Amino acid sequence: MALFWTIFPALNFNPVMDAQMLGGALQGIGCEKDMVIDILTQRCNAQRLMIAEAYRDMYGRDLIMDLKENLSHHFKDVMVGLMYPPASYDAHEFWHAMKGADMEENCLIDILASRSNGEIFQMKEAYLMQYNNDLQQDIYSETSGHFRDTLMNLAQGTREEGYADPAMAAQDAMVLWEACQQKTGEHKNMMQMILCNKSYQQLWMVFQEFQNISGQDIVDAINECYDGYFQELLVATVLCVRDKPSYFAYRLYNAIHEYGFHNKTIIRILIARSEIDLMNIRRRYKERYGKSLFHDIKHFASGHYETALLAICAGDAEDY
């Protein structure tokens, strides 16, 4: 719903004029970074793709390549990231998280725990086109153990949708409770099968039944019983079932405060959620942590990088 977006289609949009202004900003003496920010953060993704097409027609050059050549550091990552269609951006982030110098497991978790079946399907198609590799095969070769099994399950994109069976919920909750008690490989497998394949509506009931059976919240139980990235992925999946904006608010807060402003995470979440639910994420952030996302970005980032991130956050000054 557009109500929860922070970036909207620009009115009176003229891709040719935007392309011309970007060409002047990027190819003149000294890059006019403010102009680049003003154009690319104030156009929706579909409009940016039209600008890139007009830019290629006008200059015979690739806009993403020109952005990479003229910008630097994290500011470049933001501007280039804005130019990918959503599925291509997910694929790009996923590939770099697996194939970069250091495996970024939290990126894999963020993407697969939160995306719908349709979004996962589109990401897999984009991944194959961009890297000529099968995403699931790469997950299999780059990860291991129950973490790998759960990623592979989520990457199938076959979660039930809209289906709920109250009688089955109590049974599933009992399986989850036993999995927390026994902790065998088979029990871990049963737990991830339920969390990865049941519909959100079904899982809401399962979590309530789990609370009734065990007297404990499912997240607390998982945290007590398991560890490592397997545990983090299970918890992320539960949190996304309950409320994705709250999950991403939590991830942003951790990225800013626990990991010393983890730029990749912050950039990825802001760009990926800007036309989905970033306004809601901002609200959850303020409710939960007292200070606004705007305030915390302003405190830790600087320069054109800060300006670009704040432009994606958008909204009215009084919200901050």
Side-chain angles (χ1 to χ4, degrees):
M1 289 175 63
L3 183 63
F4 306 129
W5 300 0
T6 58
I7 294 179
F8 299 89
L11 302 174
N12 306 314
F13 171 60
N14 185 334
V16 173
M17 187 178 292
D18 284 347
Q20 196 168 4
M21 292 175 78
L22 280 172
L26 291 171
Q27 296 174 30
I29 299 168
C31 179
E32 294 176 49
K33 297 182 179 74
D34 289 319
M35 174 79 74
V36 176
I37 294 170
D38 287 347
I39 293 173
L40 295 185
T41 65
Q42 303 306 311
R43 310 291 185 269
C44 70
N45 187 263
Q47 290 177 332
R48 285 183 223 119
L49 299 180
M50 291 167 70
I51 293 168
E53 201 174 313
Y55 190 93
R56 189 178 294 107
D57 291 345
M58 192 176 294
Y59 299 108
R61 296 170 63 90
D62 182 74
L63 179 54
I64 287 181
M65 293 306 297
D66 281 0
L67 289 168
K68 286 179 177 177
E69 283 177 18
N70 288 280
L71 309 177
S72 60
H73 305 302
H74 302 306
F75 175 52
K76 174 184 73 178
D77 296 336
V78 177
M79 293 295 104
V80 169
L82 287 168
M83 295 308 303
Y84 287 99
S88 296
Y89 186 61
D90 277 352
H92 172 272
E93 293 295 289
F94 209 92
W95 190 86
H96 283 278
M98 282 199 293
K99 304 288 189 178
D102 296 308
M103 167 78 78
E104 291 183 58
E105 287 89 352
N106 287 114
C107 173
L108 311 185
I109 291 170
D110 279 352
I111 291 174
L112 284 181
S114 67
R115 300 315 193 247
S116 68
N117 290 347
E119 288 167 337
I120 289 169
F121 178 77
Q122 290 176 337
M123 175 178 70
K124 288 193 290 188
E125 284 201 320
Y127 192 95
L128 185 61
M129 282 184 64
Q130 286 162 228
Y131 304 109
N132 201 28
N133 277 12
D134 181 85
L135 181 138
Q136 285 167 279
Q137 285 179 4
D138 280 355
I139 291 172
Y140 190 84
S141 62
E142 299 291 340
T143 60
S144 62
H146 292 288
F147 178 57
R148 173 174 69 188
D149 295 342
T150 312
L151 289 174
M152 292 285 286
N153 201 336
L154 288 168
Q156 288 178 34
T158 52
R159 183 184 294 283
E160 293 171 358
E161 293 180 334
Y163 175 78
D165 179 351
M168 195 70 195
Q171 197 174 319
D172 288 340
M174 187 60 77
V175 172
L176 293 181
W177 186 73
E178 284 177 9
C180 287
Q181 305 305 306
Q182 306 289 338
K183 295 185 266 192
T184 66
E186 187 183 348
H187 283 91
K188 287 179 182 177
N189 195 45
M190 287 192 292
M191 173 173 272
Q192 64 95 353
M193 288 294 284
I194 290 171
L195 294 180
C196 296
N197 293 300
K198 300 288 182 175
S199 72
Y200 278 20
Q201 293 86 340
Q202 180 73 12
L203 287 172
W204 294 335
M205 292 192 294
V206 171
F207 299 156
Q208 186 57 57
E209 289 290 346
F210 185 93
Q211 178 88 40
N212 297 341
I213 292 166
S214 67
Q216 191 175 27
D217 184 76
I218 182 73
V219 170
D220 295 334
I222 292 169
N223 285 334
E224 277 182 23
C225 297
Y226 298 112
D227 55 19
Y229 292 115
F230 175 62
Q231 168 254 326
E232 289 186 38
L233 179 53
L234 294 180
V235 168
T237 303
V238 172
L239 295 178
C240 285
V241 169
R242 285 180 166 162
D243 186 53
K244 284 179 192 176
S246 291
Y247 171 72
F248 283 115
Y250 154 74
R251 288 286 293 128
L252 283 167
Y253 186 84
N254 274 9
I256 292 169
H257 293 279
E258 304 295 322
Y259 300 109
F261 210 81
H262 194 270
N263 296 284
K264 284 184 180 179
T265 301
I266 293 158
I267 293 167
R268 182 180 68 252
I269 294 173
L270 292 187
I271 290 176
R273 309 310 292 186
S274 61
E275 291 181 51
I276 300 175
D277 56 4
L278 186 52
M279 190 65 75
N280 256 1
I281 292 167
R282 278 182 30 205
R283 289 188 188 120
R284 298 287 196 279
Y285 193 100
K286 181 79 178 282
E287 289 162 8
R288 184 164 181 178
Y289 303 110
K291 289 183 177 166
S292 68
L293 182 57
F294 183 94
H295 170 277
D296 283 353
I297 289 172
K298 201 166 178 59
H299 184 75
F300 287 98
S302 61
H304 289 99
Y305 176 45
E306 175 201 330
T307 306
L309 292 180
L310 295 181
I312 295 169
C313 273
D316 301 317
E318 58 265 25
D319 292 337
Y320 303 138

